[in-house]
Amino acid sequence: MHRFSFLSLCVVGLVVVLFSGETRTAEAVTCDLSELSPCLAAITSSKPPSSTCCSKLTEQKPCFCQYLRNPTMKQFVDTPKAKRIATTCSVEYP
């Protein structure tokens, strides 16, 4: 009986490890500035950011430093409007 319990525990542990690794892969963010296209209306006008914009901004948050280091991308993300949108969406801006 103890042997069966130990084996069951090992199988459950293995399943947990396998699925936790799979979850991390699914949560990986692809840093692509075009993912922030739902924020275009808020950047080009005085409209508030949409909920989709805020969701994408939150999703892309790990990419902000990379965007700021790239001179081509920096001109789009290091602006007063971009900072205002981040503040409105309650997303920390580096």
Side-chain angles (χ1 to χ4, degrees):
M1 186 64 147
H2 289 293
R3 188 176 207 181
F4 179 75
S5 297
F6 178 75
L7 182 60
S8 298
L9 183 62
C10 288
V11 169
V12 169
L14 181 61
V15 169
V16 168
V17 168
L18 288 174
F19 282 118
S20 68
E22 195 170 301
T23 302
R24 277 189 225 127
T25 304
E27 291 178 11
V29 175
T30 300
C31 293
D32 182 2
L33 197 58
S34 68
E35 288 289 318
L36 296 176
S37 62
C39 298
L40 191 58
I43 290 173
T44 58
S45 70
S46 59
K47 292 182 181 181
S50 65
S51 60
T52 305
C53 169
C54 290
S55 295
K56 287 294 185 176
L57 201 61
T58 302
E59 181 182 295
Q60 291 286 304
K61 183 181 173 188
C63 304
F64 289 172
C65 290
Q66 178 182 335
Y67 294 155
L68 290 170
R69 284 191 300 261
N70 183 321
T72 305
M73 294 179 183
K74 184 177 180 175
Q75 64 184 342
F76 298 108
V77 295
D78 192 23
T79 66
K81 281 192 175 186
K83 292 174 185 175
R84 177 186 53 85
I85 293 167
T87 300
T88 302
C89 292
S90 300
V91 177
E92 285 183 41
Y93 191 87

